[in-house]
Structures are given as C-alpha cells and as structure tokens.
Amino acid sequence: MEKEMIIVLDFGGQYNQLIARRVRECNVYCEVHPYNLSLEKIKEINPKGIIFTGGPNSVYAEESLRCGMEIFEMGIPILGICYGSQLISYLFGGSVKTAPVSEYGKTEIIIDNKSVLFKNVSKKTIGWMSHTDYIEKPPEGFQITAHTSECPVAGMENVERKIYAVQFHPEVMHTLEGMKMLSNFVYDICGCNGDWKMDSFVETSIQEIRKKVGNGKVLCALSGGVDSSVAAVMLAKAVGKQLTCVFVDHGLLRKNEGDEVEAVFGPNGPYDLNFIRVNAGERYFKKLAGVEEPEKKRKIIGEEFIRVFEEEAKKIGTVDFLVQGTIYPDVIESGLGKSAVIKSHHNVGGLPDYVDFKEIIEPLRLLFKDEVRLAGLELGIPDYLVYRQPFPGPGLGIRIVGEVTPEKVAIVQEADFIYREEIAKAGLDKELGQYFAGLTNMRSVGVMGDERTYDYAVALRAVNTSDFMTAEAADLPFELLQKVMNRIINEVKGVNRVFYDLTSKPPGTIEFE
Ligand code: XMP
C-alpha cells in the first residue's frame, strides 16, 4: 500500500515543522521540503496535498522565494499559509500590498462562506496573525472565504483548482479552531484516510538506521533525559550490541540523577546495551570557573561533552556514528533553520567544529517533545521514564545564573529536589509541562534566628506547554508555593529568599539561560 503523505514546502517561515507536526497529529504522515522541490520529486512522492508555509519576505521583493506555476497544474490540493497565501495571490495576478495596519497576535476572524476548509468552524473565530503585507484583492477565479477588521482577505479559495489560502496561522495553538481547518484540508479536501501512526515512524526509523549503520559501531550520547533515552532505545533495537551508550555525569545533574540513570541503562537495568558512565564533574567545574556568559557556558559544556565522547570512542576502537537525542525545538532555536538564534542548545549549535566521527545520527530531529514521548511508549520504554521531566543537556549549568560552582550546584540540587517532591505530593507532576528550581545570581539580606543573613535567592519555575516553543507560567496553589519556600529556606543552607517566576515564553524562555 502506498504511504499517504502531505508535504509542506518551506518558504522560510518559523512554523514549518509545526505545520508538519499538526498534520501528523491528524494521523497523516507529513514532511517538510524546500520551497523549490522539483516537480519530478513531487511526482515521485505523489503527495495527497501540499502546504505552502509563511516566510519573512514580501512576495514582490526581488529576493523573495517563489515556486513556478506548474505546481498548480498537477491537480494536487494546495493550502497556502500567510506568505504562502500571498504568493498564491501574487502568482495568479491578485494584488498584494503592505497592509495599512499590520496585524500581530490573536485576531478575530470572520468566516464569510461555507468553505470546506472552515467546516464546523465558528462564524467568528480567533486566528493567530503575524503579517505586514496583505492580499488587497484576490486573483480572478478566487473567492474570499474569511476577513478581519483590518484584512479584507484572511482566507480565499479556488475550489475548482483545489487551491486554498489563509492569512493567519492554523498550525499555532492560539488559532482556536486551527486543527479543525487542517483536518478539513487533509481529510475533506485532500481525501486522506488517516492511517499513519507513531509506530510507523518508529519502525521506519529503525530500518533506516540499520541500513545506514551496516556493520559500523555506534556511540550514543546518553544524558538520561527523555530525548536521549528514546534515541538510545531506538538505536539499541536497531543495532543491538554495535551500540555503546556513554553517559557523561557532568556534575550538573539533578540530585541522585546519575545513579538513577545507571540503574536503568547500566548492567542491572532492563536493556541489553553497552553502557559506560564517565564521572566528569571536576573537569567541568574547572572549565566553567569564572565563566558567567550563558552562551559561553553552553559552548563549554557542549564541547566538553564531545571531547569526553571522543575519548571514550577511542577506547572502543573505530566508531563510525554518534547518536544524539536532538529534537525539533533544539534545532529551530539554535538557529540552524532560517530563524534567529535564541540559544545554542548544546547538542546542536554548540557542537565544536572538529568532531571525530564519520556521521551524526539524530533520529528524533523532526519530532516535538510529546511526539518523542509517543515514540518512547511505542518502543516499550516504561511510563516513568517517558514522562520524566525534561532536562536540558547543559543541566544545572543553565539553571544557575552566572558562574557555576560546586556549592551553587549543591544548593540547586537540594532546592529542586524539595520542589519536585512537593509538586508530586500535590499530584501535579503529570499535569505540568515543566517545573524546576534555579538559582538567581542575586544575594540579599535577610534575618534568621536573630542573625543577619546575606544569601542567594532561589527561583521556582513551573510552566504549562505542549510544544515547548511557547509556554505560560502555571497557576500553582499559593499554599504549595509557601510550603516549598519554607522547606527550601529551612533545609537548604545558603538560601534566604524564594521567588516564583511568572514569565511566559515568549518573552521569557523556559530555562533561565
Ligand atoms: P527554553 O529554555 O529554550 O527551553 O525555552 C525549551 C525546552 O528545551 C530544553 N532545553 C534544552 N534541551 N539542550 C537540551 O537538550 C539545551 O541546551 C537546552 N536548552 C533548553 C528546556 O529544558 C525546555 O524543555
């Protein structure tokens, strides 16, 4: 049976993979390809539908990315989003201009007709807008399907040619009925059956890995976090004992974490892996001494990781492949796409120039965190590991603002342990997207037992998020926060103040650095 697929053509928008992921949520396989994918290739893939993404340029600018008209002659349904919609209008002779008022954020969308794309969508709905140009007038043959108070063509269609377009972003969570629209496109317009599931991804990945690796030796960078654990088990299933997992305990892990990871992946655990634990804490603290700048810390931690791996690899003999649990938000936020650099996640942008392996395998590179968890469950990894709190590669190194020292690490480990314990007791551990304690670089005056103190402030963070690209501070019960504050101040030496971080992402990020 031929695999049903929708393809996303990337015109440089920052949500390109998010669109693909939303389509996969509709149980239809979806991949992102460059905007100029050849017609031959498209024919070969034989997609059920094509989605054009947004993009940063104006369609009429000379440097803007465009496709040819031939793609519209293939009879494949097309959905243009944001820039994609303007491009369709431009290519068909409609008028695209700088909008008198650019719209940004949640915007009321008024649906004008009974477009199939908007089947079961409310007449007035909320869409996420982010544009400075707009379609002033649709091309001939196209009907307006939606508008806003500032934007005359928030949606248009040419049913005969199966071309649909929206100015807003249905893929973003803030577009309240966006999933309905994508599902209408995929099912009602493209005629998909929706028989794709995560097990197909896991199975295909395992086969691809086997083919790629052959008889080669593979080294996996295991941090014990969800992503690298899923990558490790996937690799173990694909190539068994050709795989060695190296777990670098960089001294920046949560309390007891090193031993917990060893208990699962080590010789007494359920998996048949080659497992090496390297206790490298001292080495890290030396390198990090006096370093305050977040990006510098990330690069040091990332580079040291690779160095330790290289050393271990040499002991094993020729190692051909390095496996990393990089997931999609790491890739996009490290600025490897066309989006701006937010931070260099250690396992992507932080890679040193010289890496002594033939190739790096990143089997989860296109997945979002919740998709990684589904893949983990598919692979038979136990729930408690799959639903473990996300923990960044650079560990507590980026939860301690400013210089990292063993003393500060000990403070955060204890405070975080207490916080996690209380969150679990309150039954909130599965509900929250991510929660942890960090250490601010602030010291302030307090009084304890009639004595003046001059100690650090711990910051508590808890966010709700599904994709980790946007997040909101969780509304934790005040009594819970007070209890945690009391315990931290009483039980952790060196802390005399506790804050709760209310910042969303954006403008903040989830981690402190
Ligand atoms: P931010 O702080 O960028 O975090 O909003 C988004 C998600 O990514 C995790 N994170 C990292 N994971 N290496 C990782 O493997 C990193 O350098 C890194 N930085 C952030 C973070 O914990 C959150 O889940």
Side-chain angles (χ1 to χ4, degrees):
M1 192 181 71
E2 207 167 276
K3 187 160 82 174
E4 257 183 9
M5 198 195 306
I6 299 280
I7 58 171
V8 171
L9 292 187
D10 178 12
F11 288 89
Q14 55 172 326
Y15 300 129
N16 48 25
Q17 285 293 347
L18 190 56
I19 301 171
R21 173 249 157 84
R22 295 286 182 231
V23 174
R24 294 196 295 263
E25 271 177 51
C26 298
N27 295 331
V28 176
Y29 188 63
C30 185
E31 278 178 1
V32 178
H33 289 273
Y35 74 97
N36 53 1
L37 188 70
S38 69
L39 293 184
E40 289 70 46
K41 192 77 200 155
I42 296 179
K43 275 186 199 140
E44 200 182 296
I45 295 174
N46 192 19
K48 300 282 274 184
I50 301 176
I51 300 179
F52 290 2
T53 70
N57 295 322
S58 289
V59 281
Y60 44 78
E62 218 163 282
E63 70 279 10
S64 77
L65 313 179
R66 298 188 197 130
C67 56
M69 288 303 283
E70 302 83 358
I71 195 165
F72 301 106
E73 305 301 331
M74 301 176 89
I76 303 171
I78 292 180
L79 171 65
I81 294 177
C82 195
Y83 172 91
S85 74
Q86 295 165 8
L87 180 66
I88 292 170
S89 177
Y90 176 82
L91 292 174
F92 279 91
S95 125
V96 178
K97 288 207 163 127
T98 308
V101 179
S102 10
E103 291 169 301
Y104 184 77
K106 290 181 189 171
T107 308
E108 186 177 73
I109 313 278
I110 297 144
I111 308 294
D112 292 318
N113 72 351
K114 289 210 155 56
S115 171
V116 181
L117 191 67
F118 300 136
K119 192 180 88 180
N120 297 333
V121 171
S122 324
K123 188 110 188 65
K124 281 187 182 167
T125 186
I126 299 293
W128 181 261
M129 285 285 200
S130 176
H131 66 118
T132 42
D133 284 351
Y134 76 161
I135 302 172
E136 188 190 42
K137 233 175 113 218
E140 241 187 78
F142 282 76
Q143 269 211 335
I144 296 178
T145 53
H147 70 278
T148 74
S149 58
E150 307 294 343
C151 178
V153 191
M156 64 174 194
E157 66 186 9
N158 182 328
V159 177
E160 215 172 292
R161 283 176 162 275
K162 300 188 216 158
I163 303 173
Y164 297 76
V166 284
Q167 177 57 65
F168 54 90
H169 290 270
E171 70 279 17
V172 171
M173 250 171 15
H174 305 292
T175 297
L176 294 185
E177 298 178 270
M179 273 308 281
K180 276 189 207 164
M181 300 172 197
L182 289 175
S183 159
N184 289 339
F185 178 68
V186 164
Y187 286 103
D188 293 69
I189 296 169
C190 302
C192 292
N193 295 314
D195 41 23
W196 183 81
K197 294 219 172 55
M198 192 47 86
D199 55 356
S200 335
F201 172 81
V202 168
E203 205 28 61
T204 315
S205 301
I206 289 177
Q207 277 165 19
E208 279 170 6
I209 291 167
R210 268 190 202 135
K211 208 159 123 203
K212 183 181 246 180
V213 170
N215 296 322
K217 279 196 182 154
V218 187
L219 196 60
C220 177
L222 184 63
S223 73
V226 180
D227 308 338
S228 64
S229 301
V230 172
V233 175
M234 191 181 270
L235 259 294
K237 294 225 161 163
V239 299
K241 288 267 182 171
Q242 281 164 262
L243 168 73
T244 302
C245 285
V246 177
F247 167 50
V248 179
D249 183 343
H250 48 26
L252 306 169
L253 296 171
R254 289 169 286 199
K255 188 176 170 179
N256 301 336
E257 193 164 18
D259 296 341
E260 283 169 16
V261 170
E262 189 169 347
V264 175
F265 288 98
N268 301 324
Y271 301 110
D272 194 21
L273 306 167
N274 294 313
F275 177 84
I276 300 172
R277 174 174 176 175
V278 188
N279 290 320
E282 234 171 85
R283 182 169 167 171
Y284 271 86
F285 285 124
K286 264 195 207 132
K287 288 264 172 188
L288 288 168
V291 183
E292 295 185 354
E293 215 273 307
E295 278 301 280
K296 226 171 165 182
K297 290 199 291 187
R298 278 173 180 275
K299 297 257 153 134
I300 291 172
I301 298 171
E303 169 142 5
E304 214 46 28
F305 242 88
I306 297 293
R307 295 293 161 248
V308 175
F309 284 129
E310 282 174 354
E311 289 169 20
E312 290 308 314
K314 279 203 190 100
K315 289 184 206 158
I316 298 166
T318 319
V319 171
D320 309 284
F321 300 93
L322 174 71
V323 179
Q324 292 196 317
T326 316
I327 68 169
Y328 185 65
D330 304 341
V331 177
I332 190 153
E333 295 200 347
S334 294
L336 296 193
K338 294 169 196 88
S339 323
V341 176
I342 314 288
K343 349 171 146 166
S344 36
H345 282 202
H346 88 263
N347 37 13
V348 193
L351 277 183
D353 296 334
Y354 172 74
V355 182
D356 195 10
F357 300 98
K358 199 162 86 189
E359 214 176 313
I360 294 190
I361 303 181
E362 295 174 311
L364 312 175
R365 199 179 169 84
L366 296 182
L367 300 188
F368 287 78
K369 190 67 140 208
D370 44 352
E371 292 184 304
V372 172
R373 290 200 161 115
L374 284 179
L377 293 176
E378 257 331 301
L379 283 160
I381 303 176
D383 273 30
Y384 74 91
L385 259 187
V386 166
Y387 288 103
R388 209 177 173 152
Q389 272 293 291
F391 190 63
L396 301 180
I398 57 166
R399 291 184 179 172
I400 293 170
V401 179
E403 190 189 2
V404 178
T405 63
E407 295 70 35
K408 287 183 181 172
V409 168
I411 291 177
V412 189
Q413 281 178 334
E414 292 304 324
D416 181 66
F417 187 76
I418 293 171
Y419 187 37
R420 282 190 287 136
E421 198 168 69
E422 292 300 330
I423 294 258
K425 268 197 224 159
L428 294 173
D429 48 340
K430 283 234 171 73
E431 254 171 56
L432 297 167
Q434 192 168 358
Y435 55 92
F436 56 86
L439 193 66
T440 73
N441 212 6
M442 180 190 120
R443 291 171 82 192
S444 66
V445 174
V447 54
M448 252 177 164
D450 296 333
E451 291 279 341
R452 176 188 189 270
T453 58
Y454 186 59
D455 283 331
Y456 283 108
V458 160
L460 304 178
R461 186 106 169 101
V463 294
N464 291 318
T465 176
S466 64
D467 56 16
F468 295 82
M469 311 270 287
T470 57
E472 270 170 6
D475 185 9
L476 293 188
F478 194 63
E479 308 87 83
L480 170 66
L481 288 170
Q482 272 188 315
K483 190 163 179 201
V484 174
M485 177 273 293
N486 264 324
R487 278 197 60 193
I488 290 178
I489 290 189
N490 290 337
E491 295 174 36
V492 186
K493 217 167 156 290
V495 180
N496 68 353
R497 231 168 256 268
V498 176
F499 297 138
Y500 184 61
D501 186 351
L502 288 176
T503 323
S504 312
K505 170 183 181 175
T509 53
I510 295 175
E511 302 290 346
F512 293 125
E513 291 191 337

